[in-house]
Amino acid sequence: MGFDLLNMGSQGVLTAQRQLNTTSHNINNVNTEGYSRQSVVQSTNDPIWWGGNQYGTGVHAAEVRRGYDQFATNELNLTTTNLNYASEREGQLGRLDNMLANSAKKIPEDMNQWYDAIKGMADSPSDIGSRKVVLEKAKLVAAGLNDNHKVLAQQQTETNEVLGRTLNRVNDIGRELVDIHKAIIKTPTSGADNDLLDRHQALINELSQYTKVTVTRKNEETFNIMIGSGHTLVSGTESSQLQMVDGNPDPRQTQLAMVEGQSLKTIRNDDIGGKLAALFQFRDETLAQAMDEMGRIAVGFSDSMNELQSQGLDLKGQVGENIFHDINSPESAGSRALIPKGSTAAVNVYIDDIKALKSGEYQLSFDGSQHKLVSPDGQSQTVMPSGTPPKFSVDGLEIEIAAPIGIGEPILIRPTRTSASEIRVTMDDPSKLAAQSYMSSATKAHGTADLQVSTPGALREFQVAISPDASQFAVLDMKGQILQAPQTYPPAGDVTVNGTSFSLSNGALGNDVFAVNLNAAVGDNGNLIKMQDVQTAKVMNDGRSTVLDVYEGLNTDMGVQKASASRLREVGLVEKDAAESRVAEISGVNLDEEAANMMRFQQSYAASSRIMTVANETFETLLNASR
């Protein structure tokens, strides 16, 4: 009897002591980040049978249970991922929006100063001083676009560096998780080490900032930890290695890859989630969009001015030369297509119509029988290149396949991605600015065709008339006499009459008349007036926007994206706070509750101690009675 009481009393004391110790542990760690409340689970000892009856044998501490709920924790991981994606996205867009609102605003200012300089030159077309001002303002426009592209390219480089550092931390977390798994396996107790599991969950919480995380049990001691859409980072005591690999065909557009033995498995950037997803989106979409639009501004402005230069006469009576770098120079045409490493393909991309020109990236491929082109909006179409070398037209572009594309080789076409860095003033003689237009007032053209004189000769004045059905054209003198008999319209190449060569593009309507006067006239400013008109001319976006409208559209779009990211962050913050509250209800330490438990377990300890005292007194009574 005394022995049974002593045994049950000692077990009660030990159980209460463990409960007091655990409660003290909770109180001590109330401010420890990531700590989960622990509680002692006590169970009744197995009973004994005596005399046909069952007698209880006391209590024992079965386990120390950690306050944890998988569903609440999973929700916290997901909301952490979403919030960090939105926060990173907002920060990046904020920096880009500030750049566009501050440094990039010089672009429209410089262009407007250019137009003001053209207006000043129109008042005195023969004044060399006015002409020099125009060239200097042209250099400012080019320099502004060049600088803007450099800033965007630098942000691209910095983003790649941040991606690399973030990936290193993800790999470190993977190794730390493996170390925890190994430590849990070595724990000399039947249950898991709760403090180790808290460290484990803290690392999962940090990993959730960088990427979407899914945690599943592998066995009683270890876990499988997957990132993104199901890529295993940690499997029990093994950790995979992530690394950045060069993109193909653009090496700067690095991709995420997982090392699997001796091979690498690339991971899609758009399904990774968290901070990594925001970084990839900023680099591959936002910065690319900004570069493309700045490139379109450079192309639209420089090509419009070069086009008008070719339609006028300079101070020496010669057809005007380009002011800016030719957008269709061999090096520019070749740089718009990115060829995979090791490929023998060659593709040149020429810009034919800036009105139809779109920003974005095209992908051209060959499957062995057909060429496929995926446009920036994701639409796929079969194209039929023809001619020698084969070429085809799309969205204001003429794409020439100078050397065959290999089967399955992805060719990326970026019409304007680098154009803002390529624009520069190539004219150094202000007398070569073409102030006088050689298209006389007798011109009556309602179509979209352009006539350009390439070589002035003996023929100084003439007309080019289009037939009523727009199937032929003829060259006439100013009195209507035929100088060249009707020929098929449009001409295949340059037309030469009496030493004067000109080109005539497609798009003329029936009965259109182009009148040319190559006789130099002192003080004529007709071509300068046309240059001024470009300031308000709808030469972009299929005739809906001016060149400066493209900049304003980009600025507005970045502002809208930033506002959307800010709203997404606000929603993410509310969702994360709610998830943290649910986890805190289960895992958090409540000091009032712990204080009450301390008093309860203290009373239990005292009562169990009293049982031991009674057992001792009873045992002594029995001993004394036997003497």
Side-chain angles (χ1 to χ4, degrees), residues 146-176:
N146 295 160
D147 291 343
N148 186 265
H149 182 87
K150 288 179 183 177
V151 171
L152 294 174
Q154 180 62 32
Q155 290 194 17
Q156 190 178 53
T157 300
E158 291 173 357
T159 303
N160 278 335
E161 292 174 353
V162 175
L163 279 168
R165 292 195 297 270
T166 303
L167 201 60
N168 288 338
R169 180 54 189 153
V170 170
N171 285 329
D172 288 343
I173 291 174
R175 288 188 287 269
E176 291 176 34

mmCIF file of all heavy atoms in Angstrom, residues 146-176:
data_model
loop_
_atom_site.group_PDB
_atom_site.id
_atom_site.type_symbol
_atom_site.label_atom_id
_atom_site.label_comp_id
_atom_site.label_asym_id
_atom_site.label_seq_id
_atom_site.Cartn_x
_atom_site.Cartn_y
_atom_site.Cartn_z
ATOM 1 N N ASN A 146 20.580 57.524 -75.297
ATOM 2 C CA ASN A 146 21.698 56.635 -74.966
ATOM 3 C C ASN A 146 21.825 56.461 -73.450
ATOM 4 O O ASN A 146 21.972 55.325 -72.960
ATOM 5 C CB ASN A 146 23.011 57.190 -75.505
ATOM 6 C CG ASN A 146 23.075 57.251 -77.013
ATOM 7 O OD1 ASN A 146 23.883 57.982 -77.588
ATOM 8 N ND2 ASN A 146 22.238 56.479 -77.696
ATOM 9 N N ASP A 147 21.772 57.567 -72.715
ATOM 10 C CA ASP A 147 21.911 57.512 -71.262
ATOM 11 C C ASP A 147 20.772 56.719 -70.630
ATOM 12 O O ASP A 147 20.983 55.947 -69.685
ATOM 13 C CB ASP A 147 21.951 58.924 -70.671
ATOM 14 C CG ASP A 147 23.229 59.663 -71.038
ATOM 15 O OD1 ASP A 147 24.197 59.010 -71.454
ATOM 16 O OD2 ASP A 147 23.247 60.908 -70.917
ATOM 17 N N ASN A 148 19.569 56.926 -71.147
ATOM 18 C CA ASN A 148 18.414 56.218 -70.612
ATOM 19 C C ASN A 148 18.579 54.717 -70.794
ATOM 20 O O ASN A 148 18.292 53.927 -69.885
ATOM 21 C CB ASN A 148 17.141 56.700 -71.303
ATOM 22 C CG ASN A 148 15.890 56.109 -70.713
ATOM 23 O OD1 ASN A 148 15.385 55.109 -71.202
ATOM 24 N ND2 ASN A 148 15.381 56.720 -69.657
ATOM 25 N N HIS A 149 19.054 54.313 -71.956
ATOM 26 C CA HIS A 149 19.264 52.880 -72.197
ATOM 27 C C HIS A 149 20.338 52.333 -71.256
ATOM 28 O O HIS A 149 20.209 51.206 -70.759
ATOM 29 C CB HIS A 149 19.678 52.641 -73.655
ATOM 30 C CG HIS A 149 19.870 51.195 -73.987
ATOM 31 N ND1 HIS A 149 18.839 50.385 -74.392
ATOM 32 C CD2 HIS A 149 20.975 50.408 -73.961
ATOM 33 C CE1 HIS A 149 19.298 49.162 -74.601
ATOM 34 N NE2 HIS A 149 20.586 49.151 -74.347
ATOM 35 N N LYS A 150 21.379 53.120 -71.005
ATOM 36 C CA LYS A 150 22.430 52.671 -70.094
ATOM 37 C C LYS A 150 21.880 52.438 -68.694
ATOM 38 O O LYS A 150 22.243 51.463 -68.021
ATOM 39 C CB LYS A 150 23.558 53.700 -70.044
ATOM 40 C CG LYS A 150 24.423 53.754 -71.298
ATOM 41 C CD LYS A 150 25.494 54.828 -71.173
ATOM 42 C CE LYS A 150 26.327 54.934 -72.444
ATOM 43 N NZ LYS A 150 27.335 56.024 -72.350
ATOM 44 N N VAL A 151 20.997 53.332 -68.238
ATOM 45 C CA VAL A 151 20.399 53.179 -66.911
ATOM 46 C C VAL A 151 19.581 51.895 -66.843
ATOM 47 O O VAL A 151 19.657 51.126 -65.876
ATOM 48 C CB VAL A 151 19.530 54.403 -66.570
ATOM 49 C CG1 VAL A 151 18.735 54.160 -65.297
ATOM 50 C CG2 VAL A 151 20.392 55.641 -66.414
ATOM 51 N N LEU A 152 18.776 51.646 -67.880
ATOM 52 C CA LEU A 152 17.954 50.438 -67.910
ATOM 53 C C LEU A 152 18.831 49.185 -67.975
ATOM 54 O O LEU A 152 18.551 48.184 -67.307
ATOM 55 C CB LEU A 152 17.003 50.478 -69.105
ATOM 56 C CG LEU A 152 15.932 51.572 -69.066
ATOM 57 C CD1 LEU A 152 15.154 51.607 -70.377
ATOM 58 C CD2 LEU A 152 14.975 51.358 -67.897
ATOM 59 N N ALA A 153 19.895 49.241 -68.770
ATOM 60 C CA ALA A 153 20.804 48.098 -68.867
ATOM 61 C C ALA A 153 21.505 47.855 -67.536
ATOM 62 O O ALA A 153 21.736 46.699 -67.137
ATOM 63 C CB ALA A 153 21.826 48.332 -69.974
ATOM 64 N N GLN A 154 21.845 48.935 -66.822
ATOM 65 C CA GLN A 154 22.480 48.793 -65.519
ATOM 66 C C GLN A 154 21.522 48.152 -64.527
ATOM 67 O O GLN A 154 21.923 47.303 -63.713
ATOM 68 C CB GLN A 154 22.936 50.162 -65.002
ATOM 69 C CG GLN A 154 23.624 50.130 -63.648
ATOM 70 C CD GLN A 154 24.898 49.306 -63.658
ATOM 71 O OE1 GLN A 154 25.599 49.240 -64.667
ATOM 72 N NE2 GLN A 154 25.204 48.664 -62.540
ATOM 73 N N GLN A 155 20.248 48.532 -64.587
ATOM 74 C CA GLN A 155 19.260 47.910 -63.712
ATOM 75 C C GLN A 155 19.124 46.423 -64.035
ATOM 76 O O GLN A 155 18.917 45.595 -63.132
ATOM 77 C CB GLN A 155 17.910 48.608 -63.856
ATOM 78 C CG GLN A 155 17.876 50.000 -63.271
ATOM 79 C CD GLN A 155 16.470 50.540 -63.120
ATOM 80 O OE1 GLN A 155 15.497 49.803 -63.144
ATOM 81 N NE2 GLN A 155 16.357 51.846 -62.978
ATOM 82 N N GLN A 156 19.242 46.080 -65.286
ATOM 83 C CA GLN A 156 19.205 44.678 -65.686
ATOM 84 C C GLN A 156 20.378 43.907 -65.080
ATOM 85 O O GLN A 156 20.212 42.807 -64.543
ATOM 86 C CB GLN A 156 19.229 44.580 -67.209
ATOM 87 C CG GLN A 156 18.952 43.198 -67.773
ATOM 88 C CD GLN A 156 18.941 43.207 -69.284
ATOM 89 O OE1 GLN A 156 19.893 43.681 -69.920
ATOM 90 N NE2 GLN A 156 17.881 42.700 -69.871
ATOM 91 N N THR A 157 21.561 44.511 -65.131
ATOM 92 C CA THR A 157 22.743 43.882 -64.541
ATOM 93 C C THR A 157 22.605 43.740 -63.032
ATOM 94 O O THR A 157 22.923 42.692 -62.452
ATOM 95 C CB THR A 157 24.000 44.710 -64.874
ATOM 96 O OG1 THR A 157 24.154 44.782 -66.297
ATOM 97 C CG2 THR A 157 25.240 44.091 -64.267
ATOM 98 N N GLU A 158 22.120 44.794 -62.389
ATOM 99 C CA GLU A 158 21.949 44.754 -60.937
ATOM 100 C C GLU A 158 20.920 43.698 -60.535
ATOM 101 O O GLU A 158 21.083 43.015 -59.513
ATOM 102 C CB GLU A 158 21.527 46.126 -60.425
ATOM 103 C CG GLU A 158 22.630 47.179 -60.531
ATOM 104 C CD GLU A 158 22.153 48.574 -60.167
ATOM 105 O OE1 GLU A 158 20.932 48.720 -59.890
ATOM 106 O OE2 GLU A 158 22.962 49.511 -60.158
ATOM 107 N N THR A 159 19.864 43.563 -61.327
ATOM 108 C CA THR A 159 18.854 42.548 -61.034
ATOM 109 C C THR A 159 19.455 41.151 -61.128
ATOM 110 O O THR A 159 19.160 40.280 -60.304
ATOM 111 C CB THR A 159 17.662 42.679 -61.996
ATOM 112 O OG1 THR A 159 17.111 43.995 -61.904
ATOM 113 C CG2 THR A 159 16.573 41.670 -61.658
ATOM 114 N N ASN A 160 20.306 40.927 -62.120
ATOM 115 C CA ASN A 160 20.982 39.638 -62.233
ATOM 116 C C ASN A 160 21.856 39.363 -61.005
ATOM 117 O O ASN A 160 21.940 38.226 -60.525
ATOM 118 C CB ASN A 160 21.833 39.587 -63.500
ATOM 119 C CG ASN A 160 21.027 39.241 -64.733
ATOM 120 O OD1 ASN A 160 19.980 38.606 -64.651
ATOM 121 N ND2 ASN A 160 21.498 39.656 -65.891
ATOM 122 N N GLU A 161 22.507 40.403 -60.500
ATOM 123 C CA GLU A 161 23.345 40.237 -59.316
ATOM 124 C C GLU A 161 22.490 39.893 -58.083
ATOM 125 O O GLU A 161 22.866 39.024 -57.282
ATOM 126 C CB GLU A 161 24.148 41.509 -59.055
ATOM 127 C CG GLU A 161 25.212 41.794 -60.127
ATOM 128 C CD GLU A 161 25.887 43.133 -59.935
ATOM 129 O OE1 GLU A 161 25.446 43.904 -59.045
ATOM 130 O OE2 GLU A 161 26.856 43.424 -60.674
ATOM 131 N N VAL A 162 21.358 40.573 -57.934
ATOM 132 C CA VAL A 162 20.461 40.270 -56.820
ATOM 133 C C VAL A 162 19.925 38.849 -56.940
ATOM 134 O O VAL A 162 19.804 38.123 -55.943
ATOM 135 C CB VAL A 162 19.307 41.295 -56.767
ATOM 136 C CG1 VAL A 162 18.304 40.914 -55.674
ATOM 137 C CG2 VAL A 162 19.841 42.695 -56.504
ATOM 138 N N LEU A 163 19.600 38.442 -58.163
ATOM 139 C CA LEU A 163 19.136 37.066 -58.377
ATOM 140 C C LEU A 163 20.203 36.066 -57.928
ATOM 141 O O LEU A 163 19.879 35.058 -57.282
ATOM 142 C CB LEU A 163 18.806 36.850 -59.856
ATOM 143 C CG LEU A 163 17.443 37.351 -60.332
ATOM 144 C CD1 LEU A 163 17.362 37.337 -61.856
ATOM 145 C CD2 LEU A 163 16.323 36.495 -59.744
ATOM 146 N N GLY A 164 21.449 36.343 -58.264
ATOM 147 C CA GLY A 164 22.527 35.449 -57.869
ATOM 148 C C GLY A 164 22.673 35.349 -56.359
ATOM 149 O O GLY A 164 22.814 34.253 -55.802
ATOM 150 N N ARG A 165 22.617 36.514 -55.670
ATOM 151 C CA ARG A 165 22.741 36.500 -54.209
ATOM 152 C C ARG A 165 21.554 35.793 -53.562
ATOM 153 O O ARG A 165 21.716 35.042 -52.586
ATOM 154 C CB ARG A 165 22.864 37.937 -53.684
ATOM 155 C CG ARG A 165 24.160 38.627 -54.056
ATOM 156 C CD ARG A 165 24.371 39.871 -53.219
ATOM 157 N NE ARG A 165 23.337 40.874 -53.446
ATOM 158 C CZ ARG A 165 23.409 41.839 -54.362
ATOM 159 N NH1 ARG A 165 24.466 41.907 -55.164
ATOM 160 N NH2 ARG A 165 22.444 42.728 -54.496
ATOM 161 N N THR A 166 20.369 36.039 -54.083
ATOM 162 C CA THR A 166 19.177 35.396 -53.537
ATOM 163 C C THR A 166 19.249 33.885 -53.709
ATOM 164 O O THR A 166 18.910 33.116 -52.798
ATOM 165 C CB THR A 166 17.912 35.941 -54.233
ATOM 166 O OG1 THR A 166 17.856 37.357 -54.087
ATOM 167 C CG2 THR A 166 16.651 35.330 -53.630
ATOM 168 N N LEU A 167 19.714 33.463 -54.866
ATOM 169 C CA LEU A 167 19.831 32.026 -55.123
ATOM 170 C C LEU A 167 20.857 31.391 -54.188
ATOM 171 O O LEU A 167 20.663 30.259 -53.718
ATOM 172 C CB LEU A 167 20.230 31.795 -56.581
ATOM 173 C CG LEU A 167 19.920 30.408 -57.144
ATOM 174 C CD1 LEU A 167 18.432 30.135 -57.083
ATOM 175 C CD2 LEU A 167 20.405 30.291 -58.564
ATOM 176 N N ASN A 168 21.936 32.088 -53.894
ATOM 177 C CA ASN A 168 22.930 31.567 -52.952
ATOM 178 C C ASN A 168 22.308 31.344 -51.571
ATOM 179 O O ASN A 168 22.588 30.348 -50.894
ATOM 180 C CB ASN A 168 24.112 32.529 -52.841
ATOM 181 C CG ASN A 168 24.981 32.528 -54.081
ATOM 182 O OD1 ASN A 168 24.989 31.576 -54.857
ATOM 183 N ND2 ASN A 168 25.717 33.601 -54.286
ATOM 184 N N ARG A 169 21.457 32.280 -51.164
ATOM 185 C CA ARG A 169 20.799 32.130 -49.865
ATOM 186 C C ARG A 169 19.827 30.959 -49.877
ATOM 187 O O ARG A 169 19.725 30.210 -48.889
ATOM 188 C CB ARG A 169 20.069 33.431 -49.490
ATOM 189 C CG ARG A 169 19.351 33.365 -48.145
ATOM 190 C CD ARG A 169 20.272 32.949 -47.029
ATOM 191 N NE ARG A 169 19.558 32.684 -45.779
ATOM 192 C CZ ARG A 169 19.989 31.861 -44.840
ATOM 193 N NH1 ARG A 169 21.130 31.206 -45.009
ATOM 194 N NH2 ARG A 169 19.287 31.665 -43.748
ATOM 195 N N VAL A 170 19.116 30.761 -50.979
ATOM 196 C CA VAL A 170 18.206 29.615 -51.088
ATOM 197 C C VAL A 170 18.991 28.310 -50.952
ATOM 198 O O VAL A 170 18.566 27.384 -50.245
ATOM 199 C CB VAL A 170 17.436 29.653 -52.425
ATOM 200 C CG1 VAL A 170 16.673 28.356 -52.657
ATOM 201 C CG2 VAL A 170 16.468 30.831 -52.450
ATOM 202 N N ASN A 171 20.141 28.230 -51.598
ATOM 203 C CA ASN A 171 20.977 27.035 -51.480
ATOM 204 C C ASN A 171 21.473 26.846 -50.048
ATOM 205 O O ASN A 171 21.542 25.715 -49.539
ATOM 206 C CB ASN A 171 22.160 27.116 -52.440
ATOM 207 C CG ASN A 171 21.768 26.870 -53.883
ATOM 208 O OD1 ASN A 171 20.835 26.133 -54.164
ATOM 209 N ND2 ASN A 171 22.463 27.510 -54.805
ATOM 210 N N ASP A 172 21.834 27.945 -49.388
ATOM 211 C CA ASP A 172 22.277 27.861 -47.987
ATOM 212 C C ASP A 172 21.155 27.327 -47.103
ATOM 213 O O ASP A 172 21.383 26.499 -46.210
ATOM 214 C CB ASP A 172 22.718 29.237 -47.485
ATOM 215 C CG ASP A 172 24.040 29.688 -48.101
ATOM 216 O OD1 ASP A 172 24.761 28.831 -48.652
ATOM 217 O OD2 ASP A 172 24.328 30.903 -48.049
ATOM 218 N N ILE A 173 19.929 27.818 -47.349
ATOM 219 C CA ILE A 173 18.787 27.343 -46.563
ATOM 220 C C ILE A 173 18.586 25.844 -46.773
ATOM 221 O O ILE A 173 18.308 25.094 -45.828
ATOM 222 C CB ILE A 173 17.519 28.127 -46.937
ATOM 223 C CG1 ILE A 173 17.631 29.580 -46.449
ATOM 224 C CG2 ILE A 173 16.272 27.467 -46.342
ATOM 225 C CD1 ILE A 173 16.485 30.468 -46.886
ATOM 226 N N GLY A 174 18.730 25.395 -48.016
ATOM 227 C CA GLY A 174 18.600 23.969 -48.296
ATOM 228 C C GLY A 174 19.594 23.136 -47.496
ATOM 229 O O GLY A 174 19.243 22.097 -46.924
ATOM 230 N N ARG A 175 20.834 23.594 -47.431
ATOM 231 C CA ARG A 175 21.849 22.857 -46.670
ATOM 232 C C ARG A 175 21.564 22.897 -45.167
ATOM 233 O O ARG A 175 21.762 21.905 -44.455
ATOM 234 C CB ARG A 175 23.237 23.429 -46.977
ATOM 235 C CG ARG A 175 23.729 23.076 -48.382
ATOM 236 C CD ARG A 175 25.174 23.498 -48.579
ATOM 237 N NE ARG A 175 25.303 24.952 -48.710
ATOM 238 C CZ ARG A 175 25.273 25.602 -49.867
ATOM 239 N NH1 ARG A 175 25.104 24.923 -50.999
ATOM 240 N NH2 ARG A 175 25.410 26.909 -49.917
ATOM 241 N N GLU A 176 21.097 24.042 -44.672
ATOM 242 C CA GLU A 176 20.766 24.147 -43.249
ATOM 243 C C GLU A 176 19.605 23.235 -42.885
ATOM 244 O O GLU A 176 19.590 22.629 -41.797
ATOM 245 C CB GLU A 176 20.443 25.599 -42.898
ATOM 246 C CG GLU A 176 21.647 26.532 -42.953
ATOM 247 C CD GLU A 176 21.259 27.981 -42.694
ATOM 248 O OE1 GLU A 176 20.335 28.191 -41.889
ATOM 249 O OE2 GLU A 176 21.870 28.887 -43.302
#
